[in-house]
Amino acid sequence: MILNRAMECMDRESMRKLQSERLIETVKRCYEKVPFYRRKMDKMGIKPEDIRSIDDIHRLPFTTKHDLRDEYPFGLQAVPQSEVVRIHASSGTTGKPVVGTYTKNDLAMWAEGAARVMAASGVTKGDIVQVSYGYGLFTGGLGAHDAAGLLGAVQLPTSAGNSEKQIMLMKDFGSTVLCCTPSYALHLAEVIEKSETVKKEDLKLKVGFFGAEPWTEGMRKELQERLGIKAIDIYGLTEMCGPGVGGECEYQNGTHLWEDLFYPEIINPDTLEPCEPGEFGELVFTSLCKEAMPILRYRTRDLTRLIYDKCECGRTAVRMDRILGRSDDMMIIRGVNVFPSQIETCLTEFPAFTAQYFITVDRKNNEDTFDLDVELRSEYFSPNPSKQMPYIKPLYDRIVSMVGIKPNIHIKEPGAIQRSIGKAKHVNDKRKFQ
Ligand SMILES: [Zn+2]
């Protein structure tokens, strides 16, 4: 189902016109209400009247995570505090978190963005939406919660963790929809497989909306098979609103971005110039409707490309390819760029392995080391190294051919790698502390 046909299927020319109107308005408000943007624009010699259409967006200043931290907590707010009805914050592990504030209209816009994604895969009244994202400052829980509410579905706010109970409720309440991080969904699949009281066949799950961390096609295949569902990617970031900036339609061929709400650009992260259409680069967003905290040209650090071909679903909203990785996640090991998602892709090609992995990078004798912990499934596992070798060799070869560096692979017992209930942590780069 298409929730907002007028916006999701608008012809390109009308969309450009709408984006232009909304950008002009946003820039004006930023300049008048947010000293940070006024300073930046004054420094560049740009006045709001210089922005006449969406084609002028390249003249505007960028906003970075660093800027958001500098302006912590409310420096980028464009409305009086009395207009704010909710505050979220990113799960920043170091220093101050990135804060997002919302007016009533902002929350409605966010809920619609996420609800468009759920509606595309048929979520409607009567569905039971189990929200196993963490509820709290993190946007995942309440984002999915409000979207389910907008569609008139049942909101089941289980939050993350307590996995045995999650699957018991999933069975007893007949949950039809699951929302969580892909890594937690995988963990729930494992808990179901081990359970004596809950079997996959007992569940009524149809579809899962997974986001908050980049994931791969291999992971999709795994989740779809093991949970018996359709696995849909939902995309978002606290700096824009949370999950619901875009999402996949039922064709699962790229993430539609809601361009009437957030204007996407792809830039070269080194030169900061726009990329050619279809070229890979860094994704940048400008909010077009946000009231509390409008953001100009936010550099997401996500590396991807935009696809403007028409989608079979009838939506004209641009599609974003799978995220190659966050430029922040990229490791340079022995001079080679490595993304954790590449390792995940290799791993999920081999059925003997679980999709769990952990990378440790270090430097010894002036040379980078690259250790990869992986798990064999219990039916393949043996503590005897000679029995592990037939599994290690093909994985090793695949990683060398895909990534270009040689890993030290360590086989762990099934279940030995730590599972996460929220965003997965896959890397320990010890070089950062030397
Ligand atoms: Zn589509």
Side-chain angles (χ1 to χ4, degrees):
M1 181 200 143
I2 300 179
L3 186 67
N4 188 338
R5 186 170 287 276
M7 291 298 159
E8 294 175 59
C9 303
M10 189 180 281
D11 67 88
R12 300 297 319 168
E13 202 184 320
S14 309
M15 180 57 79
R16 298 291 285 181
K17 199 163 159 267
L18 179 71
Q19 289 168 331
S20 296
E21 286 164 13
R22 290 181 169 180
L23 178 70
I24 291 167
E25 194 55 37
T26 296
V27 170
K28 213 169 128 220
R29 285 186 47 247
C30 283
Y31 190 82
E32 285 168 6
K33 310 278 187 195
V34 186
F36 165 82
Y37 282 122
R38 184 196 293 250
R39 277 198 310 273
K40 275 210 168 190
M41 287 172 63
D42 282 347
K43 212 169 151 194
M44 294 166 80
I46 309 262
K47 293 272 172 251
E49 2 354 324
D50 296 331
I51 306 300
R52 288 154 199 242
S53 85
I54 198 76
D55 297 322
D56 295 322
I57 197 162
H58 309 300
R59 305 180 62 186
L60 291 167
F62 288 105
T63 310
T64 64
K65 191 167 283 238
H66 192 76
D67 293 328
L68 298 187
R69 291 216 167 102
D70 280 353
E71 296 296 319
Y72 173 91
F74 305 131
L76 290 177
Q77 204 165 282
V79 297
Q81 201 69 13
S82 56
E83 296 295 310
V84 171
V85 297
R86 172 113 49 93
I87 303 174
H88 279 280
S90 74
S91 54
T93 42
T94 51
K96 302 280 191 192
V98 167
V99 173
T101 65
Y102 305 75
T103 63
K104 213 172 163 194
N105 287 336
D106 290 337
L107 288 184
M109 174 199 74
W110 175 17
E112 186 188 319
R116 287 183 195 177
V117 182
M118 290 193 187
S121 287
V123 177
T124 182
K125 223 173 150 194
D127 271 310
I128 299 180
V129 181
Q130 182 160 346
V131 182
S132 308
Y133 281 115
Y135 278 67
L137 287 173
F138 171 51
T139 53
L142 285 168
H145 182 96
D146 287 349
L150 184 71
L151 294 171
V154 179
Q155 296 156 318
L156 178 57
T158 52
S159 196
N162 208 346
S163 307
E164 298 286 342
K165 194 170 173 195
Q166 294 265 356
I167 65 165
M168 181 187 87
L169 300 180
M170 195 182 274
K171 177 187 158 192
D172 294 347
F173 294 176
S175 304
T176 54
V177 180
L178 174 65
C179 301
C180 60
T181 60
S183 49
Y184 190 52
L186 188 65
H187 177 57
L188 287 176
E190 288 178 334
V191 176
I192 293 165
E193 282 156 17
K194 277 189 207 139
S195 171
E196 308 213 323
T197 49
V198 179
K199 297 276 157 265
K200 188 172 122 187
E201 299 70 47
D202 301 334
L203 303 176
K204 294 204 170 69
L205 281 186
K206 298 182 297 195
V207 58
F209 298 93
F210 305 126
E213 59 191 26
W215 48 302
T216 57
E217 281 305 313
M219 183 71 128
R220 181 194 322 265
K221 202 166 149 261
E222 188 105 355
L223 289 171
Q224 297 201 143
E225 280 172 13
R226 292 173 71 180
L227 287 168
I229 56 167
K230 205 163 183 178
I232 300 286
D233 196 354
I234 184 165
Y235 177 78
L237 57 167
T238 310
E239 295 82 352
M240 289 299 121
C241 57
V245 172
E248 288 178 321
C249 66
E250 62 276 31
Y251 289 92
Q252 297 173 299
N253 56 359
T255 297
H256 285 287
L257 297 174
W258 308 133
E259 291 178 82
D260 53 314
L261 308 176
F262 307 99
Y263 183 77
E265 299 172 76
I266 299 286
I267 61 159
N268 178 320
D270 298 322
T271 63
L272 306 183
E273 293 297 320
C275 286
E276 294 297 318
E279 203 183 330
F280 276 93
E282 181 181 334
L283 181 62
V284 170
F285 279 113
T286 298
S287 71
L288 296 177
C289 291
K290 274 176 67 168
E291 294 178 341
M293 268 183 69
I295 305 264
L296 301 180
R297 305 191 81 197
Y298 180 68
R299 295 187 57 188
T300 63
R301 304 280 170 187
D302 285 340
L303 301 176
T304 183
R305 66 185 178 127
L306 297 179
I307 305 161
Y308 284 93
D309 304 343
K310 202 166 181 231
C311 182
E312 282 178 76
C313 69
R315 289 176 184 81
T316 51
V318 67
R319 280 171 295 149
M320 169 177 91
D321 207 339
R322 279 245 172 231
I323 292 173
L324 208 53
R326 292 224 156 163
S327 52
D328 298 349
D329 292 342
M330 190 180 83
M331 302 169 281
I332 301 179
I333 305 175
R334 295 171 211 154
V336 177
N337 296 349
V338 181
F339 288 101
S341 60
Q342 294 174 301
I343 305 300
E344 184 180 303
T345 298
C346 295
L347 201 55
T348 51
E349 288 172 8
F350 297 95
F353 291 100
T354 73
Q356 304 289 343
Y357 65 98
F358 195 82
I359 297 167
T360 308
V361 186
D362 204 349
R363 183 165 288 147
K364 282 174 191 152
N365 304 323
N366 289 321
E367 194 169 328
D368 293 334
T369 59
F370 174 34
D371 287 274
L372 175 64
D373 292 351
V374 291
E375 284 176 9
L376 280 172
R377 294 185 195 284
S378 47
E379 56 271 42
Y380 300 94
F381 179 76
S382 159
N384 181 345
S386 67
K387 291 203 172 146
Q388 295 175 352
M389 233 18 232
Y391 300 111
I392 293 181
K393 183 71 174 71
L395 177 64
Y396 176 89
D397 291 343
R398 182 72 182 103
I399 291 173
V400 171
S401 81
M402 181 186 248
V403 186
I405 53 165
K406 298 172 180 173
N408 296 315
I409 297 177
H410 310 281
I411 303 266
K412 301 283 170 193
E413 273 180 58
I417 296 173
Q418 200 183 349
R419 272 49 173 172
S420 76
I421 57 168
K423 293 193 191 200
K425 186 175 183 308
H426 290 300
V427 180
N428 180 10
D429 192 341
K430 294 180 170 173
R431 300 172 302 178
K432 288 185 179 163
F433 304 103
Q434 288 181 350

